[in-house]
Amino acid sequence: MSAFGVKDYNVEITLRIQDEMAENRGYNVPQNQSRLNWLDSDMGIDNKVVAPFTPVSLKGNTVTILGRKLTYDIFGLPSKITSSFTESNNSCNGTDKDIISRSVRLDVLQGKSRIRFTGVKPVIKKLESGLVSWESALCSDAVDIKLTTGMGCDGNIDFMAEFNIKDNIHLDNIELIMPYKKAVAKYLMGLGIKGGFRPDSVERKWGQPHNMVWIGDVNAGLQLRMYDGKDWRNEGKGGCNFKSLEKECILTAYNGERILKKGDRMEFHFALMITPFKTLDNRHWKERYYQDYFTIDSSLAISKGATIMNIHQGNKYNPYINYPFLATSKLKPFVDNVKKHNIRVKLYYTVRELSVYLPELWALRQLDNEIFTASGIKELSDTIPGSRYSLIDGHPWLFEHLRTNYNPAWHTLPSEDRDWDFAIGTQYLSRWHNYYIEGLHWLAENIGIRGLYLDVIGYDREVMIRLRKAMDLVSDSCLIDFHAGNNYTYNNNKISPANQYMEHLPYINSLWFGEMYDYNLPPDYWLVEISGIPFGLYGEMLQNCGNAFRGMVYGMSTRLAWEGCDPSGIWKLWDYFGISGSRYTGYWDPGNPDRTNNQNVMTSAYCKKDKVMIAMGNWSDRNQEVSLTVNWEKLGIDPLNANIEIPAIENLQDAGTADLLHLTIPASKGLIIIISR
C-alpha cells in the first residue's frame, strides 16, 4: 500500500521478542495502547448498593431506602411518598413526612372524560441491594399501557410508559398528575423559574429547559424530569403547569390532543427523585480546598491549612485536558509529597472534549464517530480564547493532521512548562466512558489521587454511579466535587445546575456553584439554588469570593487561591470553635435555638454540648439593629452565667463581647458570635 503518485520503498523491520511480562498488563505505559481494551470495561455495572445509601428493602408494595419510603398502587404508580429526614438534614430518623397528598395519576382523556383502566397487581422483576423494579399493566378497550418502574437506593424512580393503541382513537390529552402536599411544596426550582419560594402558578410548554422541576421543602421534596422524546413534545402541544390549590399543589405534565390509529405505539419516559438524598456530612468541616489554575503552590496550601488540593487541567501536573496519564511522573511525586501534610489531591478529569495528545487518537479515529463528535457541531465561541485561531478549524495542527470530521474544542495556550494543548469534542455517551472509568480507577490506585473535580458533567446518571463505585473500590476517602456556573443566566438558559444535574447529586460530595451567581439575591434563593442543603450537600462560594457571613448561614466558605480568595480566617474559626463536632441547625428549622426580630437578618446555629456558634447574615444594604432571642433551655446553658463572645476573624470581624438585645449587623455582611457556659 502506498500514497497516490509516490514510489514504493521496501522497509526492513526487525522485531525483538523479549522474555518478560509487561507490568500491569501494559496499562502503566499509555503508549503501549494496552488500554484500548478499557473501551469494553464493565467496571461498576451492577445493581449493588452504593455508600452512603442503605440497601433497598421491599415489604408488600412499600419500598424503603435511606430516609425515604414509596408505596405504589395497583397501577404501579406512587400512592404515598414520605421522608424521615429532619428539618436541617442532620438525621434521617425523624417522623415520616408525606410529600404527595394522594396517588400520582397517568390520565388518558377522551371526550373530556378519563378513560377507565383496570389493573392487576404489579409484578416484581428485580430486587437487589441497589435497585427494585416492577411492571404493571393498565388495560382498556382502546388503549393498553405497560408501565415499567425501577427505583434505586438513591431515591431515583424511573418510569417508562409504553402505550399500545388497540383501536382508532382521538385523544384530548394525556396527563401525568403530581399532587404535592401544600405544607411540603414550599419551594420550587425549574420550569424556567429561579429556585426559591414557589409561585402560585406556572405554565410552560414542553422542552428544554422546561422539562424538569423540583418542588418541596428542605427535608422533603420531589423532582419530576420528563425525558426528551417526540411523544412528550407532540409537535409543540405538550407542556407542564403548576397550580397552588387550597390543600394541595398540583403539577401536571401533559401531551395535548392527538389522533391515533390502531397499532400505533408511544413511549413516555419520566423520572422522580425523592429529596434529600442523604444527611449532611460533618466531614465537610475538614475538607478545605486549595484551587488554582496554572500555579500550583503547595506551600501556600500547607501554610493556610488546606486539606484538599484540586489540580486543574492546563498546568505541569495535568497539562492535557481529560488525559492526565502523560504527566504522572510529575503528578505522583507531588501527590506523595502533599500527602505527608495530610492533603489529598483531586484531579480535573472528565469527558466532553479530549486532548489530541492521547496515544490512542488514531485508533479511536478509526471508530468512525463513536468516540468523537462529527464535524459541524459547534457550541463554542467564534475564536479560541487567547489565540488567533478560528474555531472553524481550530489549531493548525488539527487541520493539518485530522483534516475533516472533527470539532475543535478547548485549547490551552503554551507557557514555560507546557506546550499547546488542543482538544476535539467527544460524544455524550460512548465506549470512551468505559475507558474513563477504568482510567479513574487506575489513577486512584497507582497515582494516589483521591477524587474528581468536575466542571459540569458530560454523562448520565449510570456513568456517575459507575465512577463512584470505581473510586470506592480503591478508597472510601475519594471525593467527587462538582462545579458549575450559573446556567440560568448564561445565554438566558433559565435552568439551574442544582436542578439540571440533580440525578448526579446523590453521588457528589461537595458543590461549588460559582460564576455569574448573584450572592445578593434573597435567602430562599441561596437555600435552594446554591447551598445544596435540600439535597443533603454542603456547598462553597466562588463569584468574587462570595459573602463570608451569608455563606456561614449555610455552612459555606470559599476556596483558597482561586481569584485571590483566602478563607483561612473562617477555617481558623471552625477549629477554634470545634465545628466538626457540632450539629448544624438552619434558620428555617423550628428547632433552631435562636431567632432575631428582623426579617433582613437570618441566623443559623452550630450547637455543641456546652456552647453554640451563631452565624448571622444581613441581606439588606443597610446596617440592621436586631435583638437575638435564645432558647437557653434547649442549649442547656444558664443565661446568667453565659459567656457571649465575638471571636476575631481575620479581615472579617474584630474580637469583642455582645449584648444579645442590642446587636448591630453591618450592611450586606453579618456577625458571628459564640455563646458558651
Side-chain angles (χ1 to χ4, degrees):
M1 182 179 292
S2 64
F4 179 77
V6 178
K7 181 181 178 181
D8 290 347
Y9 292 90
N10 293 324
V11 178
E12 292 186 4
I13 298 176
T14 301
L15 298 178
R16 181 181 299 170
I17 310 300
Q18 296 180 318
D19 186 19
E20 61 182 68
M21 297 287 289
E23 183 183 4
N24 194 17
R25 301 183 64 179
Y27 294 155
N28 293 356
V29 182
Q31 290 79 2
N32 288 342
Q33 300 206 34
S34 304
R35 299 177 178 188
L36 283 171
N37 74 347
W38 285 358
L39 293 175
D40 294 323
S41 171
D42 61 358
M43 180 178 288
I45 300 178
D46 57 49
N47 292 317
K48 295 179 181 178
V49 66
V50 185
F53 304 109
T54 54
V56 173
S57 69
L58 177 66
K59 186 175 182 180
N61 58 343
T62 297
V63 182
T64 300
I65 59 172
L66 179 70
R68 291 149 291 171
K69 294 178 183 177
L70 179 146
T71 301
Y72 56 84
D73 61 20
I74 192 67
F75 300 115
L77 290 164
S79 60
K80 187 179 182 67
I81 300 176
T82 64
S83 166
S84 61
F85 286 88
T86 51
E87 297 285 348
S88 292
N89 295 352
N90 291 305
S91 167
C92 57
N93 298 316
T95 303
D96 285 348
K97 187 174 185 177
D98 285 318
I99 297 175
I100 58 176
S101 56
R102 49 191 170 89
S103 287
V104 172
R105 295 209 319 256
L106 186 59
D107 286 351
V108 181
L109 304 181
Q110 181 188 28
K112 307 302 181 182
S113 299
R114 290 168 52 196
I115 293 179
R116 291 191 172 274
F117 289 90
T118 59
V120 295
K121 183 180 179 181
V123 177
I124 299 299
K125 306 299 291 186
K126 190 176 294 184
L127 179 56
E128 300 185 48
S129 63
L131 175 74
V132 59
S133 65
W134 59 90
E135 284 186 1
S136 51
L138 293 72
C139 302
S140 72
D141 292 338
V143 181
D144 285 349
I145 304 174
K146 176 185 174 183
L147 183 64
T148 304
T149 307
M151 180 171 175
C153 60
D154 57 358
N156 183 84
I157 312 108
D158 192 84
F159 299 87
M160 177 63 78
E162 302 175 56
F163 281 63
N164 176 29
I165 307 304
K166 298 159 63 178
D167 200 356
N168 295 344
I169 190 170
H170 181 175
L171 297 181
D172 294 320
N173 213 343
I174 298 171
E175 297 180 338
L176 175 65
I177 300 174
M178 302 285 303
Y180 288 77
K181 292 279 286 189
K182 191 164 186 176
V184 164
K186 188 173 181 179
Y187 304 100
L188 183 148
M189 173 174 56
L191 302 179
I193 303 295
K194 282 183 181 179
F197 291 125
R198 61 159 175 79
D200 288 333
S201 64
V202 184
E203 175 69 44
R204 291 287 186 269
K205 282 295 184 180
W206 199 95
Q208 292 283 7
H210 308 314
N211 65 330
M212 63 188 75
V213 59
W214 173 85
I215 300 169
D217 204 346
V218 175
N219 64 334
L222 197 61
Q223 186 202 48
L224 168 66
R225 179 187 296 257
M226 299 178 290
Y227 287 95
D228 191 15
K230 63 182 178 64
D231 291 321
W232 272 121
R233 289 194 302 271
N234 191 18
E235 299 179 343
K237 298 175 185 176
C240 194
N241 62 58
F242 171 82
K243 293 180 180 179
S244 175
L245 305 178
E246 184 179 353
K247 294 184 179 180
E248 61 183 2
C249 293
I250 304 296
L251 177 68
T252 303
Y254 60 88
N255 171 253
E257 183 183 21
R258 63 196 310 159
I259 297 174
L260 298 164
K261 296 179 181 179
K262 181 178 179 179
D264 284 349
R265 295 183 180 275
M266 299 184 294
E267 289 186 349
F268 295 89
H269 186 193
F270 61 97
L272 303 177
M273 295 206 77
I274 314 171
T275 62
F277 302 118
K278 49 195 172 184
T279 56
L280 294 174
D281 192 343
N282 258 15
R283 290 181 298 180
H284 165 73
W285 309 115
K286 297 293 186 182
E287 294 164 0
R288 304 170 188 186
Y289 280 88
Y290 168 97
Q291 182 147 350
D292 206 346
Y293 202 112
F294 299 121
T295 303
I296 310 298
D297 187 349
S298 58
S299 61
L300 176 64
I302 293 166
S303 66
K304 292 287 188 176
T307 61
I308 298 171
M309 294 187 73
N310 277 353
I311 306 301
H312 211 280
Q313 58 84 210
N315 55 67
K316 63 182 178 181
Y317 300 114
N318 190 17
Y320 307 115
I321 190 166
N322 298 332
Y323 200 85
F325 307 107
L326 298 178
T328 53
S329 60
K330 294 181 180 179
L331 179 61
K332 182 166 175 52
F334 177 84
V335 170
D336 292 341
N337 180 60
V338 297
K339 184 179 179 181
K340 297 174 185 176
H341 300 276
N342 297 314
I343 294 177
R344 287 177 284 175
V345 171
K346 292 167 54 264
L347 206 62
Y348 181 111
Y349 172 47
T350 180
V351 290
R352 188 177 58 185
E353 62 256 309
L354 188 57
S355 172
V356 296
Y357 281 87
L358 80 160
E360 298 94 343
L361 173 66
W362 301 109
L364 299 182
R365 286 274 286 177
Q366 297 306 306
L367 299 177
D368 296 323
N369 298 121
E370 179 186 346
I371 307 300
F372 298 117
T373 53
S375 60
I377 303 173
K378 298 291 190 293
E379 296 181 351
L380 301 176
S381 57
D382 293 332
T383 57
I384 298 167
S387 80
R388 58 186 172 84
Y389 300 118
S390 164
L391 277 178
I392 296 174
D393 298 318
H395 188 279
W397 188 96
L398 297 177
F399 182 68
E400 292 168 3
H401 292 79
L402 303 185
R403 299 295 294 173
T404 62
N405 209 31
Y406 68 91
N407 277 309
W410 188 264
H411 285 44
T412 301
L413 298 173
S415 71
E416 293 181 0
D417 55 9
R418 67 179 187 280
D419 199 355
W420 266 100
D421 180 33
F422 27 92
I424 56 177
T426 58
Q427 297 287 357
Y428 172 67
L429 288 176
S430 72
R431 283 191 294 161
W432 182 253
H433 291 79
N434 297 332
Y435 186 112
Y436 169 64
I437 290 164
E438 285 278 2
L440 172 62
H441 181 267
W442 186 90
L443 288 164
E445 190 168 53
N446 295 277
I447 307 303
I449 72 162
R450 283 299 175 261
L452 286 178
Y453 165 72
L454 299 177
D455 187 349
V456 307
I457 299 172
Y459 38 80
D460 66 7
R461 172 177 171 271
E462 299 304 320
V463 172
M464 176 62 76
I465 295 172
R466 291 178 62 194
L467 69 89
R468 175 80 267 172
K469 291 176 179 178
M471 288 196 299
D472 290 348
L473 286 172
V474 178
S475 173
D476 63 2
S477 66
C478 291
L479 304 172
I480 302 178
D481 171 31
F482 174 45
H483 161 70
N486 191 347
N487 285 346
Y488 189 93
T489 57
Y490 181 69
N491 285 341
N492 201 32
N493 287 330
K494 293 189 179 299
I495 185 167
S496 308
N499 199 26
Q500 180 180 4
Y501 297 102
M502 194 172 294
E503 64 179 354
H504 299 288
L505 299 189
Y507 306 97
I508 300 295
N509 296 97
S510 59
L511 299 175
W512 196 29
F513 290 157
E515 294 99 343
M516 299 177 289
Y517 276 88
D518 185 352
Y519 296 125
N520 290 313
L521 289 177
D524 57 310
Y525 171 82
W526 274 72
L527 179 62
V528 175
E529 286 232 5
I530 301 175
S531 76
I533 291 171
F535 315 109
L537 291 166
Y538 281 114
E540 291 175 308
M541 301 171 288
L542 187 153
Q543 186 74 43
N544 300 322
C545 299
N547 183 304
F549 292 102
R550 293 174 183 171
M552 272 300 295
V553 172
Y554 303 95
M556 304 171 73
S557 68
T558 185
R559 297 196 172 180
L560 180 64
W562 194 265
E563 293 187 347
C565 302
D566 184 358
S568 60
I570 288 288
W571 294 349
K572 290 175 182 177
L573 170 71
W574 292 357
D575 290 336
Y576 173 73
F577 174 72
I579 198 170
S580 61
S582 67
R583 181 182 177 86
Y584 171 73
T585 309
Y587 61 81
W588 59 87
D589 190 334
N592 192 334
D594 55 84
R595 289 281 188 274
T596 72
N597 61 345
N598 189 319
Q599 63 182 2
N600 293 304
V601 179
M602 300 296 164
T603 66
S604 292
Y606 300 85
C607 301
K608 301 189 72 171
K609 185 177 180 179
D610 57 350
K611 57 184 176 180
V612 61
M613 181 166 66
I614 299 172
M616 290 174 270
N618 181 355
W619 261 265
S620 78
D621 57 3
R622 296 182 179 181
N623 291 351
Q624 297 292 318
E625 302 297 325
V626 305
S627 174
L628 186 68
T629 301
V630 175
N631 188 329
W632 298 103
E633 183 178 355
K634 183 172 290 187
L635 292 176
I637 297 176
D638 180 359
L640 298 178
N641 297 310
N643 179 52
I644 302 171
E645 172 192 5
I646 299 176
I649 308 174
E650 187 176 356
N651 298 322
L652 291 175
Q653 67 181 31
D654 296 326
T657 59
D659 178 355
L660 299 185
L661 298 179
H662 300 91
L663 295 171
T664 299
I665 313 300
S668 302
K669 294 183 179 180
L671 182 68
I672 296 174
I673 65 173
I674 296 174
I675 303 175
S676 58
R677 292 178 181 176

